[in-house]
Every structure is written in C-alpha cells, then in structure tokens.
Amino acid sequence: MSPCITCGRPFMYDPERVVSVLIDTATGWYPEPGRRHHAARVPACHFCVRAANVERRKRGLPLGYEGDTYADLVRRLARDEW
C-alpha cells in the first residue's frame, strides 16, 4: 500500500501488475535518459489511470493499462491467494 503518484490517495495494489510511472528519485520528475538508473517506479491508482485513459482515448493514444489489474487484486485478497 502506498500513495498514488497523481492524487496522493493511499491504495492497495499488486506490485507486479500496478500501473506505475518512472520517477528520478533526486528530481521527482521523469528521468533524463542518462539517469534512469537513479529512477524508481511509483504506482498510480485505478481512479487516476481510468481518468488518464479517457483523455488518451480522445487523443487516439494507447491506453495506460489493459485489463482490470486492480479488480484482480481484490479477487485475490478475497480468496487469500497471497
């Protein structure tokens, strides 16, 4: 569980499947090509990903994620598949 990169709300997620953004740990911005080794992946919540996908769809861009990554986590938690 950690805060969303966009809205800051804490949320639970599967770290192997969550949509995330690569952020330079020193600057807090997307890393320059030569600084990717200083970057960390920061997760985005399903509300922010869905909102971004609405805009991406309008512009004809590929979606931020495919499938229902977050719902799968809820199903796994309900069945204790950890």
Side-chain angles (χ1 to χ4, degrees), residues 6 12 21 30 44 46 53 60 63 65 79:
T6 305
M12 291 181 61
V21 179
Y30 192 79
H46 69 279
N53 281 342
L63 299 182
Y65 77 104
R79 292 184 291 191

PDB file of all heavy atoms in Angstrom, residues 6 12 21 30 44 46 53 60 63 65 79:
ATOM      1  N   THR A   6      -0.383  10.493  -8.685  1.00  0.00           N
ATOM      2  CA  THR A   6      -1.158  11.620  -9.191  1.00  0.00           C
ATOM      3  C   THR A   6      -1.970  12.318  -8.113  1.00  0.00           C
ATOM      4  O   THR A   6      -1.839  13.519  -7.914  1.00  0.00           O
ATOM      5  CB  THR A   6      -2.105  11.142 -10.314  1.00  0.00           C
ATOM      6  OG1 THR A   6      -1.320  10.475 -11.300  1.00  0.00           O
ATOM      7  CG2 THR A   6      -2.829  12.295 -10.959  1.00  0.00           C
ATOM      8  N   MET A  12      -4.187   0.036  -2.173  1.00  0.00           N
ATOM      9  CA  MET A  12      -3.529  -1.270  -2.225  1.00  0.00           C
ATOM     10  C   MET A  12      -3.388  -1.700  -3.671  1.00  0.00           C
ATOM     11  O   MET A  12      -4.233  -1.391  -4.508  1.00  0.00           O
ATOM     12  CB  MET A  12      -4.341  -2.303  -1.462  1.00  0.00           C
ATOM     13  CG  MET A  12      -4.340  -2.065   0.029  1.00  0.00           C
ATOM     14  SD  MET A  12      -5.287  -3.301   0.924  1.00  0.00           S
ATOM     15  CE  MET A  12      -4.407  -4.790   0.496  1.00  0.00           C
ATOM     16  N   VAL A  21       4.742   4.928 -12.814  1.00  0.00           N
ATOM     17  CA  VAL A  21       5.467   5.952 -13.554  1.00  0.00           C
ATOM     18  C   VAL A  21       6.911   5.922 -13.075  1.00  0.00           C
ATOM     19  O   VAL A  21       7.172   5.822 -11.876  1.00  0.00           O
ATOM     20  CB  VAL A  21       4.852   7.343 -13.286  1.00  0.00           C
ATOM     21  CG1 VAL A  21       5.603   8.421 -14.023  1.00  0.00           C
ATOM     22  CG2 VAL A  21       3.385   7.357 -13.647  1.00  0.00           C
ATOM     23  N   TYR A  30      10.245  12.840 -14.372  1.00  0.00           N
ATOM     24  CA  TYR A  30      10.607  11.728 -15.257  1.00  0.00           C
ATOM     25  C   TYR A  30      12.101  11.827 -15.540  1.00  0.00           C
ATOM     26  O   TYR A  30      12.616  12.913 -15.819  1.00  0.00           O
ATOM     27  CB  TYR A  30       9.797  11.803 -16.560  1.00  0.00           C
ATOM     28  CG  TYR A  30       9.910  10.567 -17.379  1.00  0.00           C
ATOM     29  CD1 TYR A  30       9.173   9.432 -17.060  1.00  0.00           C
ATOM     30  CD2 TYR A  30      10.766  10.505 -18.471  1.00  0.00           C
ATOM     31  CE1 TYR A  30       9.283   8.269 -17.802  1.00  0.00           C
ATOM     32  CE2 TYR A  30      10.886   9.355 -19.218  1.00  0.00           C
ATOM     33  CZ  TYR A  30      10.142   8.249 -18.882  1.00  0.00           C
ATOM     34  OH  TYR A  30      10.259   7.096 -19.611  1.00  0.00           O
ATOM     35  N   ALA A  44       0.259   4.296  -9.685  1.00  0.00           N
ATOM     36  CA  ALA A  44      -0.903   5.169  -9.913  1.00  0.00           C
ATOM     37  C   ALA A  44      -2.171   4.377  -9.589  1.00  0.00           C
ATOM     38  O   ALA A  44      -2.284   3.209  -9.959  1.00  0.00           O
ATOM     39  CB  ALA A  44      -0.945   5.644 -11.357  1.00  0.00           C
ATOM     40  N   HIS A  46      -6.270   3.260  -9.575  1.00  0.00           N
ATOM     41  CA  HIS A  46      -7.156   2.957 -10.699  1.00  0.00           C
ATOM     42  C   HIS A  46      -8.011   4.156 -11.084  1.00  0.00           C
ATOM     43  O   HIS A  46      -8.354   4.316 -12.241  1.00  0.00           O
ATOM     44  CB  HIS A  46      -8.012   1.719 -10.406  1.00  0.00           C
ATOM     45  CG  HIS A  46      -9.042   1.898  -9.356  1.00  0.00           C
ATOM     46  ND1 HIS A  46      -8.768   1.836  -8.018  1.00  0.00           N
ATOM     47  CD2 HIS A  46     -10.360   2.147  -9.462  1.00  0.00           C
ATOM     48  CE1 HIS A  46      -9.867   2.030  -7.340  1.00  0.00           C
ATOM     49  NE2 HIS A  46     -10.856   2.234  -8.183  1.00  0.00           N
ATOM     50  N   ASN A  53      -6.942   7.434 -19.051  1.00  0.00           N
ATOM     51  CA  ASN A  53      -7.334   6.660 -20.232  1.00  0.00           C
ATOM     52  C   ASN A  53      -8.446   7.346 -21.020  1.00  0.00           C
ATOM     53  O   ASN A  53      -8.494   7.242 -22.245  1.00  0.00           O
ATOM     54  CB  ASN A  53      -7.755   5.246 -19.851  1.00  0.00           C
ATOM     55  CG  ASN A  53      -6.555   4.363 -19.604  1.00  0.00           C
ATOM     56  OD1 ASN A  53      -5.446   4.675 -20.025  1.00  0.00           O
ATOM     57  ND2 ASN A  53      -6.775   3.269 -18.917  1.00  0.00           N
ATOM     58  N   GLY A  60      -6.541   9.390 -29.252  1.00  0.00           N
ATOM     59  CA  GLY A  60      -6.144   8.267 -30.095  1.00  0.00           C
ATOM     60  C   GLY A  60      -4.842   7.614 -29.657  1.00  0.00           C
ATOM     61  O   GLY A  60      -4.186   6.946 -30.442  1.00  0.00           O
ATOM     62  N   LEU A  63      -3.873   3.020 -24.393  1.00  0.00           N
ATOM     63  CA  LEU A  63      -4.321   3.146 -23.017  1.00  0.00           C
ATOM     64  C   LEU A  63      -3.189   2.859 -22.043  1.00  0.00           C
ATOM     65  O   LEU A  63      -2.244   2.154 -22.355  1.00  0.00           O
ATOM     66  CB  LEU A  63      -5.493   2.202 -22.758  1.00  0.00           C
ATOM     67  CG  LEU A  63      -6.730   2.442 -23.610  1.00  0.00           C
ATOM     68  CD1 LEU A  63      -7.819   1.470 -23.222  1.00  0.00           C
ATOM     69  CD2 LEU A  63      -7.218   3.872 -23.503  1.00  0.00           C
ATOM     70  N   TYR A  65      -3.250   1.037 -19.381  1.00  0.00           N
ATOM     71  CA  TYR A  65      -3.216  -0.359 -18.966  1.00  0.00           C
ATOM     72  C   TYR A  65      -4.305  -1.114 -19.705  1.00  0.00           C
ATOM     73  O   TYR A  65      -5.259  -0.536 -20.174  1.00  0.00           O
ATOM     74  CB  TYR A  65      -3.388  -0.509 -17.452  1.00  0.00           C
ATOM     75  CG  TYR A  65      -4.807  -0.337 -16.969  1.00  0.00           C
ATOM     76  CD1 TYR A  65      -5.564  -1.439 -16.609  1.00  0.00           C
ATOM     77  CD2 TYR A  65      -5.395   0.915 -16.885  1.00  0.00           C
ATOM     78  CE1 TYR A  65      -6.862  -1.298 -16.167  1.00  0.00           C
ATOM     79  CE2 TYR A  65      -6.698   1.066 -16.432  1.00  0.00           C
ATOM     80  CZ  TYR A  65      -7.415  -0.036 -16.081  1.00  0.00           C
ATOM     81  OH  TYR A  65      -8.691   0.103 -15.647  1.00  0.00           O
ATOM     82  N   ARG A  79      -9.838 -14.248  -1.733  1.00  0.00           N
ATOM     83  CA  ARG A  79      -9.597 -15.699  -1.677  1.00  0.00           C
ATOM     84  C   ARG A  79      -8.326 -16.046  -0.908  1.00  0.00           C
ATOM     85  O   ARG A  79      -7.900 -17.187  -0.893  1.00  0.00           O
ATOM     86  CB  ARG A  79      -9.506 -16.251  -3.095  1.00  0.00           C
ATOM     87  CG  ARG A  79     -10.820 -16.191  -3.834  1.00  0.00           C
ATOM     88  CD  ARG A  79     -10.682 -16.821  -5.180  1.00  0.00           C
ATOM     89  NE  ARG A  79      -9.821 -15.960  -5.986  1.00  0.00           N
ATOM     90  CZ  ARG A  79      -9.648 -16.079  -7.286  1.00  0.00           C
ATOM     91  NH1 ARG A  79     -10.251 -17.033  -7.957  1.00  0.00           N
ATOM     92  NH2 ARG A  79      -8.876 -15.262  -7.964  1.00  0.00           N
TER      93      ARG A  79
END
